[in-house]
């Protein structure tokens, strides 16, 4: 084992041998997400609601058991069996501090994170700590646990100060652990300031605290581009010499629309012109780094999959197309010797390498609720709004017709069209908010034994493996470059 470091455009071990990191994101664990686990809205909302129904002690019991069972040594062993060598662990700041008691480290803050990092190390798997949710929400939306669509993190200096404090705690704790490959400072930032000035100032502050205050110079720092890890145009030119931001890799997120519901996803055949389109978008995302000889890491990518309970007889046909997208992306990455982390390791059946059996107590208990949530397209990620599109289309039309100048419709972030913004605000925030109480009420009357049964549904032995996905990952694991 060895600390890893960035050498030009490559990642190497301490002997200078190239290491290509190939793995997956552990999402939905220390940063819960609605489409991964099946709840509506954001993690903070369901935690509050479950405490109201069960009381604080029982609610904490359930969530602690959930963390215990979601990822255990069996998961690390399976992960290694595929030849993969790195897990990106998404974490929520709430595990380390309380909003009513900021900058005070919680008791047992590192309990589960230490356990999983140690389990991965036992099987020679590196980990990357990814701050997925920051105070106020660095990008808005469910995946920043924000409860709103505007990223208030950039509006309040105190939120940013708390992230600087948190990274000092994390770096101090893991400074001497070589199995931690590095720190992904902030997932998918969406800084609306001109030229991402707020993000650049934050990165400067975080380098100062990690490199100079903590004296941690051996861990790689992974830097997401602005606007959901797609835009590096505002990044400073003096990072090329490695002095301003030393031992750094730059993270893109390379989701291909061909791997999601929609016209292009339903028609994808892997024709040369289709593959060329995927390659063109990927190369555009990494061009800023390539032009400067910098190291690129693909922190998230990967298609979503159809489910028989929702997609019926079309399921196999859809998934064959999604696996073609997967294959074609992997071929591009292999050619470039790109380090990557596919999204996602485990979920309830939409995107994970492994997913809960429909026979588990959790899936049985929530099956009707999940079906209704799917029909209402409450989750933004990979949404299929076929059943509700006609309801929201008039709202979109009203906005377009009522705004005097079409240029005023182009708000930040530019990735969100009028339709996407209506989706985010009206369905994934508003409608979801009205479903939170119902989800929590489904736990009413449960004792600790029943809560344990639900949480145990997430154990590896209670999951199915997504065969086509895992086979392709195994074939592309790059056993000759595992470090």
């Amino acid at each position: 084992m060895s600390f890893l470091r960035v050498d030009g455009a490559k990642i190497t071990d301490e002997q200078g041998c190239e290491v290509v990191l190939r793995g997956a994101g552990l999402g939905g664990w220390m940063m819960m997400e609605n489409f991964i686990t099946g709840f509506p809205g954001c993690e903070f909302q369901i935690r509050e609601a479950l405490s109201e129904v069960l009381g604080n002690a029982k609610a904490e019991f359930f969530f602690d058991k959930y963390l215990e069972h979601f990822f255990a040594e069996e998961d690390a062993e399976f992960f290694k069996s595929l030849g993969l060598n790195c897990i990106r662990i998404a974490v929520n700041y709430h595990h380390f501090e309380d909003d009513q008691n900021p900058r005070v480290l919680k008791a047992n803050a590192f309990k589960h994170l230490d356990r999983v990092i140690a389990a991965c190390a036992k099987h020679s798997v590196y980990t990357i700590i990814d701050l997925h949710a920051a105070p106020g929400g660095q990008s808005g939306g469910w995946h920043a646990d924000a409860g709103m669509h505007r990223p208030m993190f950039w509006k309040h200096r105190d939120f940013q100060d708390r992230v600087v404090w948190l990274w000092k705690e994390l770096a101090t704790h893991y400074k001497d652990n070589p199995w931690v490959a590095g720190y992904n400072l902030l997932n998918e930032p969406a800084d609306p300031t001109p030229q991402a000035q707020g993000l650049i100032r934050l990165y400067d502050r975080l380098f100062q605290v990690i490199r100079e205050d903590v004296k941690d110079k051996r861990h790689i720092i992974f830097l997401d581009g602005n606007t959901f890890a797609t835009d590096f145009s505002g990044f400073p030119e003096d990072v090329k010499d490695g002095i301003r931001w030393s031992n750094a890799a730059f993270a893109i997120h390379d989701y291909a629309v061909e791997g999601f519901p929609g016209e292009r996803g339903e028609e994808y055949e892997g024709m040369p012109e289709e593959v060329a389109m995927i390659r063109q978008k990927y190369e555009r995302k990494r061009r800023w780094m390539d032009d400067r000889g910098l190291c690129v890491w693909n922190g998230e990518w990967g298609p979503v999959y159809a489910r028989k309970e929702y997609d019926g007889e079309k399921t196999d046909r859809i998934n064959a197309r999604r696996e073609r997208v997967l294959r074609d992306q992997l071929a591009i990455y292999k050619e470039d010797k790109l380090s990557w982390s596919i999204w996602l390791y485990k979920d309830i059946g939409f995107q994970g390498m492994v997913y809960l059996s429909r026979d588990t107590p959790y899936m049985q208990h929530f099956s009707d609720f999940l079906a209704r949530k799917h029909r209402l397209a409450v989750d933004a990620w990979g949404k299929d709004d076929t059943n509700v599109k006609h309801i929201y289309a008039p709202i979109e039309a009203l906005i377009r017709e009522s705004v005097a100048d079409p240029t005023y419709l182009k708000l930040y972030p530019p990735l969100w069209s009028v339709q996407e913004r209506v989706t985010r605000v009206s369905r994934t925030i508003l409608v979801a908010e009205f479903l939170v109480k119902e989800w929590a009420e489904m736990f009413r009357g449960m004792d600790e034994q029943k809560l344990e049964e639900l949480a145990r549904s997430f154990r590896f032995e209670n999951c199915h493996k997504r065969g086509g996905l895992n086979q392709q990952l195994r074939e592309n694991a790059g056993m000759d470059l595992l470090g």
Side-chain angles (χ1 to χ4, degrees):
M1 47 75 61
S2 164
F3 277 97
L4 302 182
R5 60 187 177 90
V6 171
D7 182 5
K10 300 185 298 184
I11 294 174
T12 71
D13 61 19
E14 292 174 303
Q15 287 70 49
C17 299
E18 184 175 5
V19 176
V20 178
L21 297 176
R22 292 174 174 136
L26 179 54
W29 180 58
M30 285 188 73
M31 170 61 222
M32 299 177 73
E33 297 192 38
N34 46 42
F35 77 95
I36 297 176
T37 311
F39 61 85
C42 297
E43 179 177 353
F44 81 89
Q45 293 173 305
I46 63 160
R47 283 180 174 270
E48 290 174 359
L50 200 59
S51 290
E52 291 177 5
V53 170
L54 295 178
N56 290 335
K58 273 190 178 180
E60 283 304 312
F61 173 86
F62 171 74
F63 286 117
D64 188 66
K65 289 298 180 181
Y66 170 84
L67 291 169
E68 176 185 327
H69 295 309
F70 193 99
F71 196 95
E73 188 166 328
E74 295 86 350
D75 295 278
E77 183 177 11
F78 169 72
F79 196 84
K80 181 63 177 181
S81 75
L82 298 178
L84 301 172
N85 65 344
C86 188
I87 290 181
R88 174 181 179 243
I89 304 176
V91 301
N92 189 327
Y93 79 96
H94 279 128
H95 287 281
F96 303 95
E97 65 162 3
D98 191 282
D99 286 324
Q100 297 301 315
N101 194 23
R103 299 180 192 82
V104 176
L105 194 67
K106 287 184 175 181
N108 297 320
F110 292 100
K111 170 185 171 183
H112 289 290
L113 189 55
D114 281 350
R115 174 180 61 81
V116 165
I117 288 173
C120 291
K122 180 179 178 179
H123 294 279
S124 301
V125 173
Y126 284 101
T127 47
I128 294 171
I129 301 170
D130 150 41
L131 183 57
H132 217 78
Q138 73 276 12
S139 58
W142 81 95
H143 55 88
D145 200 20
M148 63 182 72
H149 70 292
R150 299 193 66 188
M152 301 309 292
F153 175 81
W154 307 105
K155 299 290 186 182
H156 298 281
R157 170 74 180 217
D158 187 65
F159 289 155
Q160 298 162 37
D161 291 346
R162 287 165 62 183
V163 162
V164 174
W165 167 85
L166 176 54
W167 271 115
K168 184 175 184 179
E169 296 291 330
L170 289 165
T172 299
H173 190 80
Y174 292 111
K175 176 183 176 181
D176 297 317
N177 190 330
W179 284 111
V180 175
Y183 311 135
N184 192 185
L185 297 184
L186 196 63
N187 177 67
E188 294 192 343
D191 173 17
T193 60
Q195 294 298 300
Q197 295 170 8
L199 178 60
I200 304 309
R201 284 194 298 268
L202 178 70
Y203 281 167
D204 280 341
R205 294 181 67 195
L206 292 173
F207 267 89
Q208 172 66 34
V209 75
I210 293 170
R211 298 294 192 227
E212 303 304 325
D213 297 356
V214 179
K215 307 296 184 187
D216 184 347
K217 301 181 186 296
R218 292 183 293 181
H219 284 108
I220 297 172
I221 290 181
F222 296 89
L223 301 169
D224 280 24
N226 197 29
T227 314
F228 307 100
T230 65
D231 181 13
F232 297 85
S233 60
F235 278 37
E237 287 292 335
D238 60 359
V239 301
K240 291 185 295 185
D241 56 17
I243 296 175
R244 180 171 183 168
W245 294 345
S246 62
N247 198 15
F250 295 79
I252 64 172
H253 287 185
D254 189 37
Y255 289 108
V257 296
E258 293 82 358
F260 288 76
E263 183 177 349
R264 289 168 69 176
E266 303 309 321
E267 297 179 355
Y268 189 82
E269 296 290 346
M271 301 299 290
E273 61 272 17
E274 293 176 308
V275 177
M277 181 68 71
I278 290 177
R279 175 182 283 279
Q280 181 183 43
K281 290 181 289 186
Y282 154 71
E283 290 178 344
R284 184 172 65 245
K285 290 173 186 174
R286 61 174 294 163
R287 185 168 298 134
W288 191 89
M289 286 75 74
D290 288 340
D291 288 346
R292 292 156 180 80
L294 300 171
C295 182
V296 179
W297 173 61
N298 185 5
E300 287 186 23
W301 66 283
V304 298
Y305 298 91
R307 293 159 286 186
K308 288 190 181 295
E309 60 266 39
Y310 304 141
D311 300 287
E313 62 182 18
K314 299 184 297 182
T315 300
D316 291 342
R317 184 169 67 254
I318 292 171
N319 286 344
R321 286 192 168 93
R322 303 284 162 76
E323 289 185 10
R324 287 192 195 105
V325 176
L326 175 76
R327 175 200 64 201
D328 293 336
Q329 287 189 280
L330 281 167
I332 293 169
Y333 301 159
K334 186 174 184 178
E335 183 177 334
D336 286 354
K337 284 189 176 180
L338 177 70
S339 288
W340 47 253
S341 180
I342 194 170
W343 193 257
L344 175 74
Y345 173 62
K346 182 184 286 187
D347 69 356
I348 59 172
F350 193 39
Q351 197 170 16
M353 295 162 55
V354 301
Y355 58 93
L356 270 64
S357 166
R358 298 297 179 264
D359 296 328
T360 56
Y362 186 91
M363 295 302 290
Q364 289 288 309
H365 187 67
F366 288 102
S367 60
D368 291 343
F369 181 85
L370 292 171
R372 181 152 47 91
K373 193 161 77 86
H374 174 77
R375 177 171 53 81
L376 294 172
V378 173
D379 299 338
W381 189 244
K383 61 185 177 298
D384 179 354
D385 61 0
T386 303
N387 295 307
V388 295
K389 193 177 184 67
H390 66 285
I391 297 172
Y392 298 95
I395 302 175
E396 300 162 18
L398 177 65
I399 293 171
R400 292 192 180 94
E401 293 165 4
S402 302
V403 175
D405 187 333
T407 62
Y408 298 159
L409 296 172
K410 298 177 181 179
L411 305 177
Y412 186 86
L415 300 177
W416 291 2
S417 62
V418 171
Q419 179 184 6
E420 181 64 19
R421 192 170 289 266
V422 169
T423 291
R424 298 271 176 155
V425 176
S426 63
R427 291 209 300 269
T428 68
I429 296 176
L430 181 60
V431 176
E433 187 174 37
F434 286 103
L435 294 175
V436 170
K437 181 73 170 176
E438 180 181 347
W439 178 87
E441 283 291 336
M442 296 181 71
F443 287 83
R444 186 170 292 280
M446 292 187 182
D447 58 16
E448 289 190 353
Q449 181 178 351
K450 182 63 176 177
L451 294 171
E452 171 90 24
E453 288 178 4
L454 292 182
R456 285 189 65 87
S457 299
F458 288 87
R459 286 195 68 84
F460 178 76
E461 60 262 31
N462 296 321
C463 293
H464 294 301
K465 306 176 187 68
R466 194 173 294 281
L469 166 59
N470 292 325
Q471 181 59 33
Q472 289 201 44
L473 295 180
R474 185 194 301 273
E475 291 172 359
N476 286 271
M479 297 294 289
D480 57 328
L481 292 169
L482 285 180

